[in-house]
Amino acid sequence: MADKKEKYTYGLGRRKAATARARLYKGKGEITINDKPALEYLSGDKSKLAEITDPLALAGKQKDYDISVRVSGGGLAGQVDAIKLAISKAIVLEAADLRPVLKKAGFVKRDPREKERKKYGLRSARKKEQFSKR
């Protein structure tokens, strides 16, 4: 796909426990996730692939870049959101004039919701033992 010495634009995206690092190379629209074709990595789910390419479609640059993504942690849904944010950030670095368009669509904002940690003496983060009067 893309040669290691080739110039690229980098973007980092996070969501829940997932972290994605995206590299945008000049190319013809190929997307690889963890060295696999995107559709193969996403188990053939075309709706998730469409969600990943939403920022590119909005910017009108679907066929302009080859994208290489390294993603780790979390589940598939969190990874998809992290990849989408990473690609959006890389596009903004490449073309700053697209930031208002991507921001209005909500692609530049990170979703801050994360799993709350379990507290001592409780079953989970907030769940307590059932009260027994007798």
Side-chain angles (χ1 to χ4, degrees):
M1 189 191 111
D3 188 24
K4 296 286 182 196
K5 295 181 176 93
E6 198 176 334
K7 187 180 178 323
Y8 61 85
T9 307
Y10 174 80
L12 175 73
R14 291 192 179 104
R15 169 74 171 103
K16 289 184 167 182
T19 302
R21 300 174 314 226
R23 291 181 175 186
L24 270 63
Y25 298 91
K26 296 287 182 198
K28 53 187 181 291
E30 295 176 15
I31 301 173
T32 58
I33 303 172
N34 291 351
D35 297 325
K36 291 182 182 177
L39 203 56
E40 183 184 327
Y41 184 83
L42 299 170
S43 310
D45 191 349
K46 292 187 179 184
S47 64
K48 284 190 174 41
L49 182 64
E51 192 175 339
I52 286 173
T53 57
D54 278 348
L56 291 167
L58 191 64
K61 297 184 179 286
Q62 285 172 304
K63 301 294 181 191
D64 294 353
Y65 298 110
D66 286 341
I67 301 171
S68 173
V69 180
R70 288 273 176 203
V71 66
S72 62
L76 200 55
Q79 287 183 350
V80 166
D81 285 345
I83 292 170
K84 187 166 61 171
L85 179 60
I87 291 172
S88 298
K89 285 183 174 181
I91 290 171
V92 167
L93 283 177
E94 188 79 20
D97 58 314
L98 293 171
R99 182 175 171 82
V101 178
L102 291 171
K103 189 173 180 178
K104 188 173 182 186
F107 293 140
V108 183
K109 187 173 184 197
R110 182 198 190 285
D111 191 341
R113 294 175 293 171
E114 297 217 4
K115 187 173 181 179
E116 191 175 342
R117 77 170 189 86
K118 181 190 175 301
K119 275 54 163 215
Y120 172 77
L122 302 179
R123 287 185 171 197
S124 59
R126 298 183 183 197
K127 189 172 185 179
K128 299 175 176 70
E129 292 285 337
Q130 185 173 352
F131 175 71
S132 173
K133 195 168 184 177
R134 284 172 199 87

